[in-house]
Amino acid sequence: MYEFKEEFLTGIEQIDREHRRLFEIADELYELKCEEFIPDKYDNIRHILEELRDYTLTHFEHEEAYMASIGYKRMFTQKSQHDALRETINGWNLDAIDENQDEAIEEMLHIVTDWLVSHILNEDKLIGK
């Protein structure tokens, strides 16, 4: 369901490659949500969440370094938005996730989807212009 489309391309190879991977992680979460034969998804959720945290941090470091290297004028706005997502991801409570796994997956998907689509289309595409 979650796939990287041409409309998300920024024209910056590394950033586009990393965005593709973020879409893949979101798709892994979606596939887990649809999996009916795993009654306890906690370990899977935790694994995907850790990968999302790690990869997001790496991606933001790369993106911010690139913006700094080209003197990007909207870097402060970007960094503020990155910091807000970092806080959100780091604030997910693993105990609460365990208690209500399907709801947690839905919330995570909603946040990640909104972020990926709106941030890439409204912010990241401007970096490549």
Side-chain angles (χ1 to χ4, degrees):
M1 165 148 182
Y2 289 85
E3 69 178 86
F4 186 85
K5 297 180 181 175
E6 191 172 315
E7 67 192 272
F8 296 116
L9 290 171
T10 64
I12 305 159
E13 186 178 331
Q14 179 179 13
I15 291 174
D16 290 337
R17 185 174 53 250
E18 292 176 0
H19 286 165
R20 273 188 179 88
R21 180 63 192 131
L22 288 168
F23 270 86
E24 290 169 2
I25 295 169
D27 192 56
E28 289 172 27
L29 192 57
Y30 176 76
E31 291 297 322
L32 179 62
K33 171 187 172 262
C34 296
E35 182 58 60
E36 297 175 17
F37 299 109
I38 301 176
D40 186 354
K41 299 176 182 177
Y42 178 78
D43 289 338
N44 301 79
I45 295 169
R46 201 179 97 230
H47 171 75
I48 293 170
L49 179 56
E50 288 170 3
E51 186 176 7
L52 181 63
R53 276 184 188 147
D54 293 346
Y55 201 82
T56 299
L57 293 176
T58 299
H59 169 63
F60 287 166
E61 287 173 11
H62 293 162
E63 197 171 89
E64 290 167 9
Y66 179 80
M67 288 186 290
S69 76
I70 64 168
Y72 186 61
K73 292 179 176 149
R74 293 180 46 89
M75 184 171 165
F76 179 75
T77 300
Q78 281 268 27
K79 185 156 177 9
S80 295
Q81 292 176 3
H82 291 173
D83 289 345
L85 185 62
R86 281 183 191 108
E87 268 185 54
T88 298
I89 291 173
N90 287 326
W92 279 327
N93 181 326
L94 292 175
D95 291 333
I97 288 171
D98 193 25
E99 292 173 18
N100 202 339
Q101 296 175 10
D102 290 331
E103 186 177 305
I105 292 172
E106 285 289 337
E107 179 186 343
M108 292 166 68
L109 275 172
H110 178 74
I111 290 168
V112 170
T113 302
D114 283 355
W115 171 265
L116 284 173
V117 172
S118 73
H119 186 79
I120 291 171
L121 291 177
N122 298 320
E123 300 296 333
D124 289 348
K125 285 189 68 116
L126 298 175
I127 301 169
K129 292 186 177 187

